[in-house]
Amino acid sequence: MTKELRRSGLSESEWMARSHPYVDQLVKSGEYPIFTKIVTQARQPHLSRDDQFRDGLQRVFDCIAAALPSVADPGQPSELRSPQ
């Protein structure tokens, strides 16, 4: 839950309903393509909280894995190479 939502004293659905006209105005302006993409994706069927957590955690692991040196990389220190 965001700080804004907590401070508003509204439920999540009430807060979203109240914010909709402003969000719609931003999307229709065409000036915020990344924001528009996020809003568009948010309108798609939602994952459960558990699935959201798993998906987010998988993204973190994927980013970490992408930053690790390749096993086939001969330039990495020998202690990082997998045993043959």
Side-chain angles (χ1 to χ4, degrees), residues 5 8-9 15 17 20 22-24 27 32 36 38 41 44 53 60-62 65 67 69 71 84:
L5 180 57
S8 74
W15 186 83
H20 178 75
Y22 180 63
V23 170
D24 198 43
V27 169
Y32 308 96
T36 299
I38 292 167
Q41 289 178 351
Q44 295 175 358
F53 176 79
V60 170
F61 289 153
D62 290 345
V71 174
Q84 301 295 327

Side-chain angles (χ1 to χ4, degrees), residues 37-69:
K37 181 178 179 181
I38 292 167
V39 169
T40 303
Q41 289 178 351
R43 290 180 179 162
Q44 295 175 358
H46 297 291
L47 299 173
S48 70
R49 296 283 183 192
D50 287 343
D51 288 339
Q52 288 176 6
F53 176 79
R54 278 189 215 92
D55 185 56
L57 186 59
Q58 186 61 52
R59 287 180 187 203
V60 170
F61 289 153
D62 290 345
C63 288
I64 292 170
L68 294 174

